[in-house]
């Protein structure tokens, strides 16, 4: 039965979402506190720090040129300016290794979040079954719930998987498809764990999608930020019906262009067409002037991306060293992206309280693991795209507090 | 019964939406053409011309300052930066004559379209009845259909109404409320006719909403662009439960800031809270840097707004003079906004074909009346926020073609 508006929204929590901590109060932790505050530069690991890792050089100048273009840039097709789509389409085809139809198979959206929303809205109606990875990006579940789809969870055994594999439970995925899932939605690299799916895993996903006629929405937001020695497989370039795949990317993360809210979805033409129909009533279009900034994407200065990756790898390694010095902490090495998802040991306070205590006593904001899977309540997500020194000091404070609150 | 995804999207047309004409072809009109092309500067009346009426002075500089602020401006609460909300909240309270709670009763959105989408999504679930004015903004109907609400149309007798009244059929509105409408959605000034609701009409809407417990969403996008002698009543400042009203405005039109995609919804706190929950999975937030541009809103240079209104009034009057010189054309004088909605006489070709012919033969783009009401297929909408001379010449070409195709 369709949901009433109240029950629909009661399931759509937002207070623990990254960046929303400002709307919470510290109520309920006073009686749990042990010891005093730990001084240090506050670090908000809930999202990246675009001051520490600034936007793509030249992005503001390209935006300014867009404003100077006037009405032509302000009012584009809902799916985005055709000139920019052609430019970006070519580059995405080169990057992913499969053709992109700039006219009919590509839409520019307000951020990758905008692309994800439209893609799910365009494929999931009331009662439709959707396979969702656990853990995965927290909005995936919420989107399926909002459109009243039925979620079929598929576990990602990232902690136990052999090197080079994500650990996706492929048997469980097939069971979900057999049980009638029409859509499979997942992120690769995985958010929050930073694992990359192996070629074999991607090929098996492709084969299963073909066999059961499932539409796959793959969020590749972090596909450019890959660490040394990691190989990456684009699903859309493998053996799969192009009309059954929508790929989502955007320059918000690695490129630090989040303040412009730009994303792109490309692939299945019929789904892209639906997404545009919907964008027309959701937000009309990605802000016209901002679309101009897409011109910088995949066109960064020579060596800039390599440098950005190198800096993130150095932060990752230093944080892992601190975390692995704490007894009972497990942390898999992220192969891509800027998320760390350590599992904490048993504590004397519930883990969701510990997250609040950490913020209050140590100025360290992390995202609780429950946002990503009901099974990862003992983990926390850190976006380590931060000032290097401040991030290391913050994780050292986390380590101190783990000892202080250890069960 | 809930709709399948295909039928849901089959009802969501977009090709006739303003600005999307570029995706149409001219097929189907060749055999209908009479005479040759009419030369002249092409005018796209589907939206305003921000080159002829440029954005608020200083808006780009304020945007630039936002970018310079870095991460603080890029990552705001989902409902928008609190400093900007406080600033805008005060100004909106002063403008509308009723308090605005900047913390809990205001959300900044990607354009007023974004606000409208979230407001409908936050109030209309499957099967909910919604009263919708005919004619009114084309997305209103589509939004209700997308959320599988049931539309109860209420006619706006704008052609027959006495001066100073919109002509809303208040008996029909009460019937819709009696029949169970939970939400009433309307624009004031009305899009596409430019009529303003009288104080008496607004008060009767308020009273009916109170009596039947209906939530009112009022789109006041054009409330600042009011012509000489027109008085305007803000629903939220009248006798109505503030928790039953959401007001929507934004700087996209009069202020020509559409390229930044900014809007605001304010009023009922519970609904605003739901809207933020949803914005978190729709687009996260209005683009962070762009939000800074809100600082210019209601803070334009002295005399700038008066001048803008005066220029639009002059265009309006010249276009009305041309239209009223054509036998059988009816055009009510818009009291606010930049839309004209003339009713055309009987033609030898269907009106939807005539709209295509007009574009092909005369370079004049208008929006077909069917987008606003099934009963106004003989009318067309013109956004006259255009270059003055080019607009007059374009409407003269429209007049020539009416004669050429007259039945």
């Amino acid at each position: 039965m369709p949901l009433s508006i109240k029950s629909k929204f009661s399931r759509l929590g937002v207070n623990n979402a990254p960046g929303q901590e400002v709307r919470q109060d510290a109520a309920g932790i006073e009686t749990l506190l042990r010891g005093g505050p730990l001084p240090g530069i506050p670090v908000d690991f809930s999202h990246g720090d675009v001051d520490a890792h600034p936007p793509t050089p030249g992005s503001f100048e390209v935006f300014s040129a867009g404003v100077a273009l006037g009405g032509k840039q302000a009012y584009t097709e809902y799916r985005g300016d055709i000139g920019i789509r052609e430019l970006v389409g070519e580059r995405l085809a080169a990057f992913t290794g499969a053709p992109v139809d700039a006219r009919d198979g590509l839409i520019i959206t307000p951020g990758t979040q905008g692309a994800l929303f439209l893609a799910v809205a365009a494929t999931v109606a009331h009662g439709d079954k959707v396979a969702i990875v656990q853990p995965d990006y927290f909005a995936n579940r919420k989107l399926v719930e909002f459109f009243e789809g039925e979620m079929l969870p598929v576990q990602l055994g990232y902690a136990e998987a052999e090197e080079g594999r994500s650990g996706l439970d492929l048997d469980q995925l097939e069971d979900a498809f057999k049980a009638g899932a029409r859509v499979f939605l997942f992120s690769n690299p995985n958010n929050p764990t930073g694992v990359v799916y192996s070629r074999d895993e991607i090929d098996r996903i492709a084969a299963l999608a073909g066999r059961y006629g499932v539409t796959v929405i793959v969020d590749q937001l972090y596909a450019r930020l890959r660490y040394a020695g990691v190989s990456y497989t684009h699903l859309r370039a493998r053996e799969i019906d192009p009309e059954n795949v929508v790929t989502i990317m955007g320059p918000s993360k690695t490129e630090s262009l989040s303040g412009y809210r730009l994303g792109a979805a490309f692939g299945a033409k019929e789904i892209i067409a639906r997404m545009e129909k919907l964008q027309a009533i959701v937000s009309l279009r990605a802000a016209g002037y901002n679309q101009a900034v897409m011109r910088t994407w995949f066109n960064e200065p020579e060596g800039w991306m390599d440098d950005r990756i190198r800096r993130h790898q150095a932060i990752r390694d230093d944080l892992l060293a601190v975390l692995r010095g704490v007894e009972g902490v497990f942390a898999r090495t992220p192969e891509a992206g800027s998320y760390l998802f350590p599992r904490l040991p048993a504590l004397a306070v519930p883990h969701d309280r510990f997250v609040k205590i950490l913020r209050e006593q140590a100025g360290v904001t992390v995202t609780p693991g429950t946002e990503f899977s009901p099974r990862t309540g003992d983990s926390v997500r850190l976006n380590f795209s931060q000032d290097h020194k401040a991030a290391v000091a913050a994780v050292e404070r986390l380590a101190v507090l783990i000892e202080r609150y250890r069960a």
Side-chain angles (χ1 to χ4, degrees), chain A:
Chain A
M1 220 183 75
L3 292 173
S4 78
I5 197 78
K6 283 206 185 203
S7 48
K8 204 166 164 179
F9 277 87
S10 69
R11 304 203 294 181
L12 205 62
V14 75
N15 279 348
N16 281 314
Q20 289 302 98
E21 298 79 8
V22 67
R23 294 193 70 82
Q24 297 180 16
D25 55 36
I29 60 168
E30 300 85 348
T31 58
L32 303 175
L33 291 182
R34 299 178 179 187
L38 292 181
I41 301 168
V43 175
D44 183 352
F45 286 109
S46 74
H47 57 72
D49 179 349
V50 298
D51 301 327
H53 304 277
T56 308
S59 49
F60 176 70
E61 289 70 19
V62 171
F63 177 88
S64 309
V67 175
L69 267 180
K72 186 180 154 18
Q73 186 69 56
Y75 287 92
T76 71
E77 280 177 69
Y78 295 145
R79 60 176 71 199
D81 178 80
I82 180 65
I84 293 168
R85 271 160 41 222
E86 281 168 354
L87 205 65
V88 165
E90 257 179 48
R91 295 174 189 168
L92 287 171
F95 178 69
T96 62
V100 172
D101 182 329
R103 185 180 189 278
D104 294 324
L106 171 63
I107 182 170
I108 298 173
T109 57
T112 47
Q113 184 67 55
L116 206 53
F117 174 79
L118 296 175
V120 173
T123 51
V124 178
H126 176 90
D128 286 344
K129 295 186 174 116
V130 182
I132 293 274
V133 173
Q134 286 183 345
D136 208 329
Y137 178 49
F138 60 89
N140 293 1
R141 169 183 60 80
K142 293 181 186 179
L143 285 166
V144 173
E145 284 179 353
F146 182 74
F147 290 107
E148 302 177 35
E150 184 187 332
M151 189 171 54
L152 302 180
V154 180
Q155 299 304 313
L156 186 75
Y158 63 98
E160 305 78 28
E162 59 186 275
E163 215 189 300
R165 291 183 72 85
S166 73
L168 185 72
D169 187 332
L170 289 157
D171 293 332
Q172 206 178 14
L173 183 69
E174 179 159 12
D175 288 345
F177 289 4
K178 269 188 196 157
R182 300 166 48 113
V183 176
F184 175 44
L185 170 59
F186 75 113
S187 61
N188 180 24
N190 174 262
N191 173 351
T193 64
V195 307
V196 165
Y197 289 70
S198 69
R199 168 153 301 186
D200 173 63
E201 288 172 319
I202 291 295
D203 282 346
R204 290 182 61 184
I205 290 169
L208 288 171
R211 189 171 321 145
Y212 294 96
V214 171
T215 297
V216 185
I217 302 169
V218 52
D219 170 359
Q220 302 195 168
L221 180 52
Y222 274 106
R224 296 186 76 192
L225 190 66
R226 305 197 302 251
Y227 298 116
V230 173
S231 75
Y232 186 91
T233 307
H234 295 276
L235 175 66
R236 63 191 308 275
R238 308 299 296 168
E239 283 289 322
I240 189 164
D241 178 355
E243 282 300 305
N244 274 341
V245 190
V246 173
T247 304
I248 291 171
M249 287 191 70
S252 286
K253 300 290 188 180
T254 313
E255 303 82 352
S256 294
L257 295 170
S258 184
Y260 292 102
R261 297 270 77 217
L262 289 164
F266 47 106
K269 296 192 193 81
E270 190 185 330
I271 297 172
I272 300 290
R274 286 187 202 154
M275 290 170 69
E276 181 182 47
K277 281 183 170 191
L278 186 55
Q279 181 143 290
I281 59 168
V282 170
S283 60
L284 292 184
R285 59 179 74 78
Y289 299 148
N290 301 33
Q291 288 179 35
V293 176
M294 283 299 228
R295 294 182 182 277
T296 66
W297 201 27
F298 289 97
N299 194 31
E300 296 84 7
E302 184 74 30
W304 181 84
M305 182 58 71
D306 290 342
D307 182 62
R308 176 138 296 191
I309 293 171
R310 194 183 50 72
R311 287 173 191 272
H312 280 80
Q313 187 157 344
I315 300 169
R316 177 195 75 170
D317 292 343
D318 284 356
L319 300 192
L320 280 171
V322 177
L323 289 167
R324 288 176 180 159
V326 181
E327 199 190 315
V329 167
F330 167 79
R332 176 166 162 165
T333 304
E335 287 133 26
S338 62
Y339 294 121
L340 259 171
F341 196 56
R343 187 195 297 152
L344 309 186
L347 300 172
V349 296
H351 281 84
D352 63 327
R353 302 284 95 180
F354 182 71
V355 165
K356 281 199 176 197
I357 291 169
L358 184 62
R359 193 163 61 244
E360 289 296 315
Q361 288 199 308
V364 177
T365 303
V366 301
T367 305
T370 43
E371 289 285 300
F372 310 96
S373 164
R375 301 192 184 184
T376 53
D378 56 358
S379 301
V380 294
R381 191 191 71 174
L382 287 75
N383 185 328
F384 61 81
S385 186
Q386 305 291 343
D387 176 83
H388 193 140
K389 278 189 190 165
V392 172
V395 172
E396 283 168 347
R397 296 201 295 281
L398 165 63
V400 170
L401 286 191
I402 290 173
E403 296 308 339
R404 200 185 273 180
Y405 290 91
R406 192 182 285 280

